[in-house]
Amino acid sequence: VTIPGAVEAWHRLSQDHGRRDFAEMLRPAIALAEDGYPIPPRIAYDWDRFLDKITSTDAGKRIFMPTGTPAEVGDVIRQPELAATLRIIADKGPAGFYEGPVAEDMVATLRRLGGLHALEDFASHKGLYVDPISTNYRGYDIHECPPNGQGFVALIMLNICEGFDHSNLSPLDALRLHQQAEAGRLAYRDRDAFLGDPDASPVPLENLLSKEYAAEQRALISPDRAMASLAEPGMRASSDTVYLTVVDGDGNAVSFINSLFNGFGTGLMSDKTGVMFQNRGALFTVSETHPSRIGPGRRPPHTIMPGIATKNGRTVMPFGVMGGHYQPFGHVHLLGNVIDFGLDVQQALEMPRVFHFEDVLSVETGIPEPTVAQLRALGHEVEHAPVAFGGGQAIWIDHERGVLIGG
């Protein structure tokens, strides 16, 4: 999320110090890839779940199963090919990835596997600087990235939830979770109807983010019963996402997120570069009339959404959660915990969560059983989530005391 002048400042920095700073930034990653890193329990768990996927190519087998047997907790994994690729990027910048031998190997690998990629596809790629979209929630301006991301879904949910009085409720009250779930159902219905590449299919954000539209949607939600039906969502749930946020001594804040989408992306590794390919294209549809239809030069919908909250023009909290399609729910839950219930960021992130997706209300471990029973009584089909929806990070900037509070 940019602020006025930040783009120009970044370009000046890039011209003056870019290559040197870029190489320094990549140094720790290069060392980890080359010298190795031990596998912690959580990564071992995911590794085991996706073992067949990540060893589906010879390159993947060589890296992820170096002894011929599955890696275990504490085993040290080295990725020398990836270290070499990162060195090229450190030396040449983006051109080291999108052009030259790295791109040539990726294209050759993809074409050998049946892909239609060409070197021109990589060379013509450009990242975009975009203006954030926002809404005001109880005095706080909440900023999200625009489509082709799903940040507007969280803003729709916030607009709907703003009209509910939670002052006499607890964070895990069944009514609060029910209203949040219903708001999510309506917002995700809009996501699946409108989200696509805005250059090809503009998203009607002015209408979707209006307070009048939120009031119309809020009127559909009953405190006593879940809505009987909604259109089926068109996208599948999964995540392999990493979020981070940092605030410096001058109060500059970065909210950053990156993802391969599904666990380990496609599971396909480039033959020589050590690059694991993402599978964001899975969110395209083959429908010829849908905004997210696949086509030449189109960007697929994506789920990753870094956020920043400001108040009276000052940044007060960069934040983000992981979890693929869950993320709008995660943003609304976190912001409600902080703004509505006064929790600090660590408490807010630790609070158990719910997620309504594909007609099922999934609840994390920690949601009290009486609350689960109440949600079922309201008409929700409730199931216990087998794993947590995804972690999160946030930094609260206490301007009055000059203190940063992280979670």
Side-chain angles (χ1 to χ4, degrees):
V1 179
T2 63
I3 58 175
V7 174
E8 292 79 4
W10 172 253
H11 283 314
R12 286 197 302 273
L13 177 66
S14 298
Q15 292 167 359
D16 296 340
H17 308 290
R19 184 163 296 176
R20 182 192 66 204
D21 291 346
F22 199 44
E24 190 63 29
M25 180 177 68
L26 288 176
R27 190 187 305 278
I30 293 170
L32 284 170
E34 190 160 69
D35 301 334
Y37 52 91
I39 302 177
R42 174 55 207 263
I43 300 302
Y45 171 77
D46 289 330
W47 207 291
D48 183 64
R49 284 198 302 152
F50 294 106
L51 185 64
D52 290 343
K53 181 179 184 179
I54 62 178
T55 57
S56 62
T57 62
D58 289 340
K61 286 179 185 175
R62 185 173 66 251
I63 295 299
F64 297 121
M65 209 159 57
T67 65
T69 59
E72 298 179 354
V73 174
D75 285 350
V76 175
I77 296 297
R78 295 176 175 83
Q79 298 182 245
E81 295 91 345
L82 184 60
T85 296
L86 292 173
R87 279 199 174 90
I88 293 174
I89 296 171
D91 179 51
K92 299 184 180 299
F97 182 84
Y98 292 105
E99 303 172 28
V102 173
E104 290 167 5
D105 182 66
M106 291 191 293
V107 169
T109 301
L110 290 165
R111 294 190 71 88
R112 179 176 58 76
L113 294 169
L116 303 175
H117 305 76
L119 284 171
E120 293 76 17
D121 296 324
F122 282 78
S124 63
H125 174 78
K126 289 187 181 1
L128 302 177
Y129 287 104
V130 296
D131 293 322
I133 56 177
S134 65
T135 196
N136 187 277
Y137 181 75
R138 306 196 200 281
Y140 291 84
D141 292 312
I142 310 302
H143 305 270
E144 302 276 0
C145 287
N148 56 321
Q150 63 172 350
F152 74 98
V153 180
L155 301 183
I156 294 174
M157 290 180 66
L158 288 169
N159 283 342
I160 294 173
C161 290
E162 188 178 37
F164 297 129
D165 182 6
H166 293 161
S167 60
N168 294 320
L169 304 180
S170 69
L172 296 183
D173 192 287
L175 178 58
R176 183 227 179 174
L177 299 180
H178 161 70
Q179 291 170 333
Q180 193 178 91
E182 296 290 87
R185 293 174 68 190
L186 293 167
Y188 278 64
R189 175 205 59 195
D190 292 342
R191 180 193 76 161
D192 295 339
F194 297 112
L195 181 56
D197 186 340
D199 291 339
S201 303
V203 181
L205 290 176
E206 184 175 356
N207 177 59
L208 292 174
L209 298 183
S210 71
K211 299 295 186 179
E212 293 76 17
Y213 181 75
E216 294 172 5
Q217 302 309 300
R218 192 183 308 116
L220 302 174
I221 299 174
S222 165
D224 305 316
R225 194 72 186 166
M227 290 177 286
S229 63
L230 284 177
E232 288 289 324
M235 296 195 266
R236 297 166 293 172
S238 192
S239 169
D240 195 30
T241 305
V242 175
Y243 175 84
L244 64 88
T245 180
V246 63
V247 176
D248 71 10
D250 296 319
N252 298 301
V254 172
S255 185
F256 177 89
I257 198 162
N258 184 54
S259 178
L260 297 181
F261 188 47
N262 288 119
F264 293 93
T266 59
L268 305 174
M269 182 174 282
S270 182
D271 290 337
K272 301 175 184 176
T273 64
V275 172
M276 181 72 84
F277 294 114
Q278 47 89 0
N279 68 326
R280 282 283 157 194
L283 292 183
F284 278 125
T285 177
V286 295
S287 167
E288 294 184 1
T289 59
H290 197 278
S292 64
R293 62 189 178 277
I294 193 169
R298 283 179 176 262
R299 291 175 287 160
H302 71 75
T303 57
I304 54 179
M305 40 186 289
I308 287 182
T310 63
K311 189 172 186 179
N312 299 326
R314 292 199 298 185
T315 298
V316 293
M317 187 175 73
F319 65 93
V321 300
M322 294 155 271
H325 295 291
Y326 166 74
Q327 290 178 53
F329 265 85
H331 281 209
V332 173
H333 196 64
L334 168 63
L335 289 164
N337 287 343
V338 172
I339 297 171
D340 296 341
F341 297 102
L343 302 182
D344 70 37
V345 288
Q346 188 62 49
Q347 293 170 320
L349 287 164
E350 289 180 356
M351 191 63 61
R353 304 164 296 182
V354 303
F355 178 32
H356 200 292
F357 194 75
E358 295 186 333
D359 297 327
V360 173
L361 182 61
S362 297
V363 299
E364 286 185 329
T365 301
I367 299 292
E369 283 305 316
T371 300
V372 172
Q374 288 177 278
L375 292 169
R376 287 198 174 105
L378 288 168
H380 295 284
E381 182 179 339
V382 182
E383 69 176 21
H384 289 277
V387 296
F389 301 132
Q393 293 183 37
I395 299 173
W396 183 264
I397 304 174
D398 186 329
H399 290 281
E400 282 66 38
R401 296 188 295 164
V403 172
L404 301 179
I405 304 168

